[in-house]
Amino acid sequence: MSAVTSTVNVGRPRAFDMDTALEKALEVFWRKGYDGTSLSDLTEAMGINKPSLYAAFGNKEQLFLKAIELYESRPCSFFLPALEKPTAYQVAEHMLYGAAMNMADSNHPQGCVVVQGALSCSEAAASVKEALINRRVEGEQKLKVRFDQAKTDGDLPPGTDTGVLARYLLTVLQGMAIQANNGACSEQLRQVAHMTLQAFPRAG
Amino acid sequence: MSAVTSTVNVGRPRAFDMDTALEKALEVFWRKGYDGTSLSDLTEAMGINKPSLYAAFGNKEQLFLKAIELYESRPCSFFLPALEKPTAYQVAEHMLYGAAMNMADSNHPQGCVVVQGALSCSEAAASVKEALINRRVEGEQKLKVRFDQAKTDGDLPPGTDTGVLARYLLTVLQGMAIQANNGACSEQLRQVAHMTLQAFPRAG
DNA sequence: AGATATATGTACTTATCGGTAAATAACCCT
DNA sequence: AGGGTTATTTACCGATAAGTACATATATCT
């Protein structure tokens, strides 16, 4: 993939670790949003200066998009792994409790950067807003497809509208991101998760 | 209330209508968020120039807070009126369908400015973020109190945890704001509202 | 009509924004 | 050791941010 820039060890070596720098950038974008984050915020948090940032990551927008990629592939991310669970109910269960655990985790900013990174934003940020909307909509679509599978598997009632069910679940998850921003703790989010699951359709 | 500045008609009269200017400001903040909105955006939308804005509204932050006040007192707002409904179920019903109708209304920006006005933001916007969090938490508290009343009225089961129920409902409403930003239409939001109501506890 | 009071328009301030030019430093390869 | 290559540092760029000074315009009050 990254065959464009040196796989060979030629030239002065980079003095910082790109992955940890990207983690720092993610943390700032997560907490302040795209518009609310300045390059000074980024360089300070990443421990590098601007030319190094531009050389390594392109520009602010590309850095943001790479940070989002990192966010979704982190070990503690819960959305995609939940899709692998054997039944629709367990998929929902893992998503909801995973969100309750993760979104209020005080080891990083609260909520979800895909939700709050560029919800309302300037025209300069319009493209990253679009990118985040796409991520959210694609997640919803993946969940619908998983529920379609569940219907043929027989662990969702035949009459289930999987599109609505997926949208409903994403709505709750996205609402939990706001709740986490409000200061709700994991236990409070778990209660919301529990209540959501009580209404979840199961195989007849 | 507004006795500080001239109730008397002395001096050059204001050449614009403060209420319509405030509506325009609200629309910009709603669409772009606090950080994403510049004073140029505001003066252009409001049809006035900066000294007039500062003389009439104080500064950017005070203008934002006044715009939020306007937002919550608009005729088409649905949250506080829903609290007046006779039963807990009808309260929830009116909130959910009101949100479905309002948040995807194409006559104004999608979603809810109290949710998306300053969700993640710069340090300069920290105080308005706090103000919005307070609004959201206070709304949740008001709904809990309403549900407590419903319990004594007998239109909620005695064992109901009204705090969790209120938080769950606010979670769905806030999630619907994100869905509206995703491009969901009123009908799609109505489906989410319907599914939420199906799980709503009723009097035994 | 003239004094007083408030609003408007133009032009400005200082600070910061995202982004970059150019010189220097640190590595590998021959 | 020296050439080639890439990273870091410092200093800068034009544009725009929020906010304001000041002169002018338009009203009421006496």
Side-chain angles (χ1 to χ4, degrees):
Chain A
M1 284 291 180
S2 61
V4 178
T5 45
S6 62
T7 48
V8 198
N9 267 356
V10 62
R12 176 172 176 171
R14 191 167 274 127
F16 63 96
D17 182 66
M18 283 188 68
D19 292 331
T20 60
L22 191 55
E23 293 241 28
K24 292 293 186 183
L26 168 60
E27 213 239 82
V28 179
F29 281 131
W30 196 344
R31 185 157 37 88
K32 298 192 170 188
Y34 186 82
D35 274 335
T37 299
S38 70
L39 280 177
S40 309
D41 292 333
L42 291 167
T43 54
E44 189 183 352
M46 298 165 87
I48 62 181
N49 43 35
K50 281 191 277 187
S52 296
L53 188 157
Y54 277 82
F57 299 104
N59 61 13
K60 187 184 174 185
E61 175 175 347
Q62 289 169 42
L63 174 60
F64 181 84
L65 296 176
K66 279 168 185 153
I68 297 298
E69 273 184 51
L70 169 64
Y71 176 75
E72 294 194 327
S73 65
R74 308 170 99 207
C76 65
S77 79
F78 53 88
F79 191 87
L80 294 179
L83 292 174
E84 310 290 333
K85 297 296 164 187
T87 68
Y89 183 85
Q90 285 176 291
V91 168
E93 188 176 40
H94 273 79
M95 276 189 190
L96 287 164
Y97 285 116
M101 172 91 75
N102 189 272
M103 287 186 179
D105 187 340
S106 57
N107 291 122
H108 51 65
Q110 276 69 60
C112 169
V113 70
V114 177
V115 170
Q116 69 212 40
L119 189 53
S120 293
C121 61
S122 67
E123 271 139 31
S127 61
V128 313
K129 174 183 165 181
E130 278 302 310
L132 291 187
I133 289 178
N134 285 341
R135 300 255 173 181
R136 298 198 295 262
V137 170
E138 279 164 19
E140 192 173 307
Q141 180 59 21
K142 280 179 188 148
L143 185 57
K144 179 202 179 298
V145 168
R146 178 65 188 83
F147 284 163
D148 285 335
Q149 178 61 40
K151 229 160 84 173
T152 56
D153 291 349
D155 61 270
L156 271 182
T160 308
D161 187 330
T162 56
V164 175
L165 189 59
R167 192 181 316 126
Y168 167 72
L169 201 54
L170 262 294
T171 302
V172 174
L173 288 170
Q174 287 157 3
M176 285 169 78
I178 311 299
Q179 287 287 318
N181 274 283
N182 290 358
C185 65
S186 277
E187 176 54 28
Q188 290 174 314
L189 296 184
R190 252 193 296 273
Q191 291 173 323
V192 171
H194 180 74
M195 180 161 286
T196 305
L197 283 171
Q198 284 201 312
F200 198 84
R202 309 208 199 195
Chain B
M1 287 290 183
S2 62
V4 178
T5 45
S6 63
T7 48
V8 199
N9 267 357
V10 62
R12 177 173 174 171
R14 190 167 275 124
F16 63 95
D17 181 67
M18 283 188 68
D19 292 331
T20 60
L22 192 55
E23 294 243 26
K24 292 294 186 183
L26 168 61
E27 213 238 84
V28 179
F29 280 130
W30 195 345
R31 186 155 38 87
K32 299 193 168 187
Y34 185 82
D35 275 335
T37 299
S38 71
L39 280 177
S40 309
D41 292 332
L42 291 166
T43 54
E44 188 183 352
M46 298 165 88
I48 62 180
N49 43 33
K50 281 192 276 187
S52 297
L53 188 156
Y54 277 83
F57 300 103
N59 60 13
K60 188 185 174 186
E61 176 175 346
Q62 290 168 43
L63 174 60
F64 180 84
L65 295 176
K66 279 168 186 154
I68 297 299
E69 274 184 52
L70 169 64
Y71 176 75
E72 294 194 326
S73 65
R74 306 170 100 206
C76 65
S77 79
F78 54 87
F79 192 86
L80 294 178
L83 292 175
E84 312 288 334
K85 297 296 165 186
T87 68
Y89 183 86
Q90 283 175 292
V91 169
E93 188 177 41
H94 272 80
M95 276 187 190
L96 288 163
Y97 284 116
M101 173 89 75
N102 188 272
M103 287 186 179
D105 187 340
S106 57
N107 290 122
H108 51 65
Q110 277 69 59
C112 169
V113 71
V114 177
V115 170
Q116 70 212 41
L119 189 52
S120 292
C121 62
S122 67
E123 272 138 33
S127 60
V128 313
K129 174 182 165 181
E130 278 303 310
L132 292 186
I133 289 179
N134 285 341
R135 301 255 172 181
R136 298 196 295 263
V137 170
E138 279 164 20
E140 193 173 307
Q141 181 59 21
K142 279 178 189 149
L143 185 57
K144 180 202 179 297
V145 168
R146 178 65 188 83
F147 283 162
D148 285 334
Q149 178 61 41
K151 229 159 85 173
T152 57
D153 291 349
D155 61 271
L156 271 182
T160 309
D161 186 331
T162 56
V164 175
L165 189 60
R167 192 181 316 125
Y168 166 72
L169 201 54
L170 261 294
T171 302
V172 173
L173 288 170
Q174 287 157 3
M176 286 169 78
I178 311 298
Q179 287 288 317
N181 273 282
N182 290 358
C185 66
S186 277
E187 176 55 27
Q188 292 173 311
L189 296 185
R190 254 193 295 273
Q191 291 173 321
V192 170
H194 180 73
M195 180 160 287
T196 304
L197 283 170
Q198 284 201 310
F200 198 85
R202 309 210 201 196

